[in-house]
Amino acid sequence: MKRIKQAYILTGVLFFGSGCADKQLSNYNGNYITPQQAVMAAAETESGISGKFVMTVQATGYDAGNLYLNSEKDYRDQRNLSIKIEPELIKKLQSRLNENPSTYYINKRIEISGTALKVRIAFVADGEITDKYYFQTHVNLENANNIRVIN
């Protein structure tokens, strides 16, 4: 009976976006976390949501030497989940893949282990940071083995 009650609670969190998104629910009962679930859950907690994320890479881009794999074509889309890959890991992935990760992962369905966090992004005008900002949801890739292509 307790498991049934937990399943109803979990279903409510997943499908209706209500409830608490803390680390106790971080792996959604062993299932993958979608970009939509990650964005919603990360918005509700400062500690983010940890687990295995699954997404199709729709676009890639570089900023400050970091590579970003995006779940949406427009990285500014509020539904977007960005995977941040730092330069050292870019080199490791490129060596392992024998291809630039920015092109290799395009249109591929990937699994990433990590923590999705809400990140504040400031607008810049004429080289100066303004008081305007928006939020993105990022997963920082910590290890080259934490990302893989899946079917």
Side-chain angles (χ1 to χ4, degrees):
M1 187 62 132
K2 187 175 181 181
R3 285 182 185 246
I4 293 172
K5 184 177 180 182
Q6 288 173 340
Y8 285 125
I9 292 170
L10 184 57
T11 300
V13 169
L14 290 174
F15 294 108
F16 301 109
S18 63
C20 179
D22 64 16
K23 293 206 179 224
Q24 292 177 356
L25 295 177
S26 65
N27 69 0
Y28 287 110
N29 203 22
N31 296 323
Y32 292 120
I33 303 168
T34 67
Q36 180 182 11
Q37 292 166 337
V39 169
M40 290 173 55
E44 295 182 14
T45 176
E46 287 185 28
S47 61
I49 178 167
S50 297
K52 288 187 179 180
F53 303 89
V54 66
M55 66 183 229
T56 299
V57 177
Q58 297 293 318
T60 63
Y62 285 93
D63 184 49
N66 299 309
L67 170 63
Y68 292 88
L69 309 178
N70 299 303
S71 67
E72 300 293 325
K73 290 188 186 279
D74 181 356
Y75 69 91
R76 289 177 231 124
D77 188 316
Q78 66 184 2
R79 299 168 297 173
N80 185 59
L81 178 63
S82 291
I83 310 305
K84 178 182 175 185
I85 306 174
E86 294 180 355
E88 181 181 310
L89 289 177
I90 295 169
K91 290 176 188 173
K92 287 182 181 180
L93 287 171
Q94 187 159 347
S95 177
R96 184 174 85 193
L97 302 169
N98 293 320
E99 187 176 337
N100 187 327
S102 68
T103 54
Y104 176 81
Y105 288 113
I106 288 286
N107 297 320
K108 290 194 170 76
R109 188 168 168 86
I110 60 172
E111 171 193 287
I112 310 95
S113 297
T115 300
L117 296 166
K118 181 172 78 170
V119 177
R120 182 178 163 161
I121 307 295
F123 284 102
V124 177
D126 298 323
E128 299 290 323
I129 296 175
T130 70
D131 60 349
K132 297 183 188 320
Y133 60 89
Y134 69 104
F135 291 98
Q136 293 179 348
T137 305
H138 291 184
V139 175
N140 292 332
L141 187 66
E142 300 287 331
N143 183 310
N145 293 324
N146 289 352
I147 184 171
R148 70 183 184 101
V149 174
I150 59 174
N151 294 330

